[in-house]
Amino acid sequence: MRFSTFIYTLKQGIANIFRNKWYSLASIATIGACLFMFGIFYSIVANFQYIVKEAQNGVAVTVFFDEGLSQERIAEIGSLIEARTEVDHVNFVSADEAWEGFKEEYLGEYADGFKDNPLKNSSNYEIYLRDVSMQSALVSYLESTEGIRLINKSEITAKTLTSINSLVGYVAIGIIIILLCVSVFLIANTVTIGISVRKEEINIMKYIGATDFFVRFPFVIEGILIGAFGSLVPLGIVYLIYSNVIGYVLNKFTVLSSILKFIPVNEIFHTLIPVSVCIGVGIGFIGSFTTVRKHIRV
Amino acid sequence: MITLDHVSKSYSTGAPALNDVSVHIETGEFVFIVGDSGSGKSTLIKLLLRELLPTSGTIEVNGVNVGKLKHRQIPKFRRNIGVVFQDFRLLKDRNVYENVAFAQRIVQVPGKQIKKNVPSVLSIVGLAGKYKARPKQLSGGEQQRVALARALVNNPPILLADEPTGNLDPKNSWEIMKLLEEINEKGTTVLVVTHNREIVNAMKKRVVTMNKGVIVSDQKEGSYIDEI
C-alpha cells in the first residue's frame, strides 16, 4: 500500500466524523454514557474496597509463647509465621514493650507501684494478614505449633470484614453485568443506525473495486476516534464529580475523616484513564469493524 | 471479452432468474440488453460484476472465470469493469472531483497523476467547470455524467451501464448515449441494459432481448422488440 493511500484513508476516517455529525455525536454520547456509569461505579467500588482493606490492615492475630521458651525458638516461630502465604507482616513485641504499651494505655502514673514487669511472659508476635478471610487457616496452623501458649484473635471482626468484602464482590459483578447489558443494547442500537447510514457508501466503494481494507480502514479509524472521544468526556465529568464530592464529604463531615479514608483522585484516575480509554476505543473498533463487515461482502 | 456459457441462476424461491443463457460479446462491441422487468437483465449485470455466482454454467470476463474468483480477487477484477447505474450512486458528501478521484485512489494512482486524469475525464463528459459541485447541486443528467466519468477514469476495457437513462429526460438521455457511443468508438466494450425503445431503435447496435430468464432474440443491428 502506498503511503499516500494510507494518509488518504486516515484523513477520510477523520473527515467521516464531521460528515456524519449526528451519528458521531450519538455514538460519542452512547459510549460516553456507558463509560460515565462505569467511572462512577468504579470509583465507588474502589473506595469501598480501599476502606475495607484499611480496616483489615488493623486486624491482627497475637500469639504468646510458653513460659521460659528460648529466644532461638521464638525467632524460629517468627520465621515460620513470616513464611506463611496468608501473612502480610509480623511485629515482635518484647515483654518490656508490652508493659510500656499497657502502662501508657491503662495505668498512667499508677504504674509506678510496679517494680518488676508483671508482663514478663507477654512477649508476642502481632501477625497482620494479607486477607482476613485466611485468619482461621493461620490460627489452625498456630494451634499446632509447639511453644505457643495463647492465640488472641477477633473472629467477629474477621468474619464481618470477609462478609463485606464478599458482598462488595457480588454487587460489583452484578452491576458490571447490568452495565455490560445496557452498553451492548445501546451500542447495538447505535451500530444499527450506522449500518443504514453507511450501507450505500460501502456498496459504491465495493462496486468500484475497493479492497476490504480500503473500505474498512476509514470506518475503523472513525470508530476508534469516536470511542476515544466517548471515553474522554465522561472521564472529565467523573474527575470533577469525584474531587468535589470527596472534598465536600471530608469538609462537611469531619468525624468521618478519621474513620473513612478515600483514594486520592489521581490514584483513581491512574487506573480509570487507561481502562476507560481502552474500553472506549475497543467499543469503537469492534462497533465499526462489525458494521462494515456486514456489508463488505458485496 | 465476455462469454456466458449455459448460465443459469436460481434464487431460493420462484422460477430461475436466468435459464441456460449463452452469449458471446467481442472486444469493442456495443450491445443493448433489453427486456421487461423480471426478464433477468439485472441478474445478468450482477453476475458479470461477481455480485452473484451462477447456479450452473461458466462466465468469462476479460479471460477470467468469474465463478472461480476468490473474495480477495474480486476488487482487482472489478477495476477492469466501469459501471454506471440508473440511480447514479455517487458519494453525496463529496464533490464531483472527489467522486471521480475516488476511483483512482482505490487503484492507488499517484496523487500527481490523479490531478491530471480527473480534469481530463471531466472535460470528456463536459463537467470540467463543475468539479467543485456536490451531487445534489447537479441535474440528473450531470450526475450521470459524473458517474460515467468515475467509470471511465481508470480506462476499463468494459463498461456496464444498468438503465443509465432511466432517471433522465430525453435530451439528457441522448447526451449520455452519445457519450457512451464515443467511449465505444475509442475501443471500450459497452454493454447497456435499457428500456428506452427510441434510443435502441435509433442507434442500430446489437440488441439482445431477454424474457423470463432466457435470450429470445440476438440481432446484429437490431431494434426493440415490443411483443415477445
Side-chain angles (χ1 to χ4, degrees):
Chain A
M1 183 195 232
R2 281 176 181 276
F3 183 67
S4 58
T5 308
F6 174 78
I7 295 294
Y8 172 76
T9 48
L10 197 67
K11 279 182 184 168
Q12 287 304 309
I14 297 165
N16 275 350
I17 295 175
F18 299 99
R19 281 191 191 120
N20 308 291
K21 282 189 281 288
W22 293 111
Y23 171 70
S24 304
L25 277 175
S27 306
I28 289 171
T30 305
I31 294 173
C34 295
L35 288 176
F36 175 74
M37 288 192 288
F38 171 79
I40 293 286
F41 172 67
Y42 173 81
S43 305
I44 293 168
V45 169
N47 271 291
F48 213 88
Q49 287 188 323
Y50 182 72
I51 290 163
V52 173
K53 182 80 182 162
E54 284 289 306
Q56 282 182 344
N57 286 344
V59 178
V61 173
T62 314
V63 289
F64 297 91
F65 315 108
D66 290 340
E67 256 178 61
L69 195 69
S70 67
Q71 286 304 315
E72 289 76 24
R73 178 59 188 158
I74 290 172
E76 196 185 338
I77 291 172
S79 306
L80 289 170
I81 293 169
E82 272 182 336
R84 300 281 299 177
T85 51
E86 60 267 43
V87 173
D88 184 62
H89 65 280
V90 177
N91 281 350
F92 177 71
V93 181
S94 67
D96 290 341
E97 285 167 344
W99 176 228
E100 284 302 318
F102 187 83
K103 277 197 299 190
E104 209 170 286
E105 197 165 344
Y106 300 108
L107 301 177
E109 60 192 38
Y110 301 110
D112 295 342
F114 293 91
K115 283 181 184 169
D116 296 325
N117 179 357
L119 299 179
K120 61 182 176 190
N121 285 321
S122 294
S123 61
N124 61 73
Y125 281 123
E126 282 174 2
I127 308 164
Y128 294 89
L129 297 157
R130 286 182 202 282
D131 182 349
V132 284
S133 66
M134 293 169 169
Q135 184 178 276
S136 56
L138 177 72
V139 168
S140 303
Y141 171 74
L142 294 172
E143 280 169 349
S144 64
T145 307
E146 262 185 51
I148 290 177
R149 169 169 54 93
L150 179 68
I151 302 164
N152 275 354
K153 59 188 187 291
S154 174
E155 222 158 302
I156 294 170
T157 314
K159 277 187 180 169
T160 308
L161 288 174
T162 306
S163 304
I164 290 173
N165 232 352
S166 307
L167 186 69
V168 171
Y170 290 134
V171 170
I173 291 168
I175 295 178
I176 282 172
I177 290 170
I178 293 168
L179 270 181
L180 273 178
C181 292
V182 171
S183 307
V184 167
F185 174 74
L186 289 174
I187 288 154
N189 271 339
T190 317
V191 166
T192 310
I193 298 166
I195 290 169
S196 60
V197 171
R198 302 301 161 78
K199 193 176 170 183
E200 198 186 343
E201 195 176 335
I202 295 169
N203 273 337
I204 294 167
M205 290 182 182
K206 292 295 288 181
Y207 278 126
I208 297 173
T211 57
D212 288 357
F213 175 83
F214 199 93
V215 174
R216 186 178 273 154
F217 192 65
F219 287 111
V220 170
I221 290 292
E222 181 190 353
I224 288 173
L225 289 175
I226 283 175
F229 288 135
S231 63
L232 293 177
V233 174
L235 276 172
I237 299 170
V238 172
Y239 187 92
L240 285 175
I241 292 175
Y242 188 88
S243 36
N244 284 319
V245 166
I246 298 295
Y248 179 80
V249 169
L250 292 179
N251 284 333
K252 273 275 175 190
F253 310 98
T254 38
V255 185
L256 286 177
S257 61
S258 58
I259 308 164
L260 299 180
K261 279 185 181 167
F262 295 105
I263 307 174
V265 68
N266 291 341
E267 211 171 296
I268 278 275
F269 275 76
H270 193 72
T271 310
L272 197 56
I273 289 174
V275 171
S276 291
V277 171
C278 283
I279 294 174
V281 167
I283 288 172
F285 174 79
I286 293 166
S288 55
F289 196 86
T290 49
T291 307
V292 182
R293 199 186 60 173
K294 284 183 181 176
H295 296 283
I296 215 160
R297 297 193 78 84
V298 176
Chain B
M1 173 71 26
I2 299 174
T3 306
L4 278 81
D5 189 17
H6 297 288
V7 171
S8 294
K9 175 66 190 174
S10 300
Y11 296 106
S12 51
T13 53
L18 284 187
N19 194 2
D20 198 29
V21 168
S22 293
V23 68
H24 178 75
I25 296 164
E26 288 289 347
T27 303
E29 268 197 277
F30 190 118
V31 182
F32 284 115
I33 309 281
V34 300
D36 294 335
S37 296
S39 60
K41 307 186 300 292
S42 296
T43 301
L44 181 66
I45 293 283
K46 285 178 178 174
L47 287 168
L48 291 175
L49 282 170
R50 179 48 175 84
E51 193 182 338
L52 294 173
L53 278 169
T55 311
S56 62
T58 54
I59 301 169
E60 207 169 280
V61 178
N62 283 330
V64 175
N65 185 338
V66 177
K68 290 197 172 165
L69 281 174
K70 288 178 181 157
H71 178 73
R72 62 183 165 78
Q73 295 172 315
I74 296 172
K76 202 173 176 187
F77 165 76
R78 285 183 182 159
R79 289 172 198 170
N80 286 315
I81 304 172
V83 58
V84 176
F85 297 97
Q86 180 177 354
D87 55 359
F88 323 129
R89 299 198 189 174
L90 301 174
L91 297 168
K92 294 178 184 69
D93 51 19
R94 278 165 239 196
N95 63 27
V96 167
Y97 181 92
E98 272 307 315
N99 265 283
V100 180
F102 183 70
Q104 292 251 283
R105 292 206 164 92
I106 282 171
V107 293
Q108 300 192 36
V109 174
K112 280 183 185 172
Q113 198 61 43
I114 294 175
K115 283 177 185 165
K116 280 183 188 170
N117 294 346
V118 175
S120 162
V121 77
L122 282 175
S123 66
I124 292 172
V125 298
L127 283 176
K130 294 203 170 181
Y131 69 98
K132 277 186 177 174
R134 299 255 167 164
K136 66 179 176 188
Q137 296 170 309
L138 302 174
S139 69
E142 287 171 330
Q143 288 189 56
Q144 195 59 293
R145 285 161 187 259
V146 179
L148 202 51
R150 182 181 66 189
L152 293 173
V153 73
N154 290 336
N155 292 316
I158 299 171
L159 182 71
L160 299 183
D162 189 3
E163 301 279 6
T165 59
N167 284 349
L168 305 181
D169 57 38
K171 183 177 169 282
N172 275 308
S173 297
W174 268 113
E175 284 175 3
I176 291 294
M177 292 316 293
K178 286 291 166 202
L179 273 172
L180 289 173
E181 196 170 30
E182 282 170 27
I183 291 157
N184 174 244
E185 280 164 5
K186 288 176 186 164
T188 306
T189 306
V190 178
L191 198 66
V192 181
V193 170
T194 185
H195 274 112
N196 196 317
R197 183 183 297 104
E198 290 77 41
I199 283 173
V200 172
N201 290 338
M203 286 185 72
K204 301 286 176 211
K205 303 286 184 187
R206 181 177 170 190
V207 180
V208 174
T209 307
M210 297 185 72
N211 184 37
K212 292 177 182 170
V214 295
I215 292 175
V216 292
S217 159
D218 188 348
Q219 309 156 275
K220 204 170 181 187
E221 286 186 8
S223 57
Y224 201 100
I225 302 171
D226 285 314
E227 298 296 326
I228 301 166

